[in-house]
Amino acid sequence: MYTVKVDRFHPYGHSTSGRSRSILQMLHDAHVNFPSLWEQQTNDIELKDLSSQCYEWSQIDQEIRATIPNARIIKIQRIQNNWLWEKYAFCKQRMMRKYGYQAVNEKRLFHGTR
């Protein structure tokens, strides 16, 4: 595995040999830290059921109740998608370099069903 440090973002990065590299190639080569709360997985994409006793559940419960006070939460599942997380992390790093850390305004989104 390789670690890639990108000082500036271009749609195509340039290697020391002068050859262009696509964003997907850079994503593939970059080392990404996955969230510490993620569990071990055997597939690239997995659904993980959260225990109602865990910290992550209580955080999500609190955020949902801030806008939907009477919500009845039955089950919470975390989607662990390695490829999508790598892409997200790469784009976030690019935005932080371009606009500064404070300018990156992240929001957590939840999907619910009846």
Side-chain angles (χ1 to χ4, degrees):
M1 177 146 320
Y2 298 94
T3 301
V4 177
K5 183 174 186 261
V6 180
D7 291 327
R8 294 187 189 124
F9 172 76
H10 300 282
Y12 287 89
H14 297 284
S15 67
T16 55
S17 64
R19 291 180 297 175
S20 294
R21 297 179 63 218
S22 73
I23 298 289
L24 290 176
Q25 287 170 322
M26 287 191 280
L27 275 174
H28 177 62
D29 292 344
H31 174 71
V32 174
N33 291 323
F34 294 99
S36 60
L37 294 173
W38 278 24
E39 301 168 33
Q40 289 290 334
Q41 59 191 88
T42 55
N43 299 309
D44 285 335
I45 302 171
E46 291 186 9
L47 281 176
K48 301 291 186 175
D49 291 332
L50 299 184
S51 163
S52 60
Q53 307 304 310
C54 77
Y55 171 77
E56 196 173 8
W57 178 292
S58 63
Q59 290 298 110
I60 293 168
D61 181 65
Q62 187 176 32
E63 289 181 46
I64 289 174
R65 291 187 192 288
T67 56
I68 311 170
N70 297 326
R72 188 172 136 233
I73 300 172
I74 299 166
K75 178 164 90 171
I76 299 176
Q77 292 180 306
R78 179 190 328 106
I79 302 169
Q80 293 186 184
N81 183 326
N82 292 342
W83 185 85
L84 196 58
W85 184 265
E86 288 171 348
K87 183 176 176 185
Y88 163 78
F90 180 80
C91 290
K92 180 180 174 183
Q93 289 172 1
R94 182 184 62 187
M95 288 174 55
M96 287 181 359
R97 276 194 277 291
K98 185 172 181 177
Y99 302 111
Y101 181 77
Q102 297 298 329
V104 178
N105 186 14
E106 290 181 282
K107 300 286 183 185
R108 286 173 35 131
L109 302 175
F110 303 102
H111 165 67
T113 59
R114 288 185 182 238

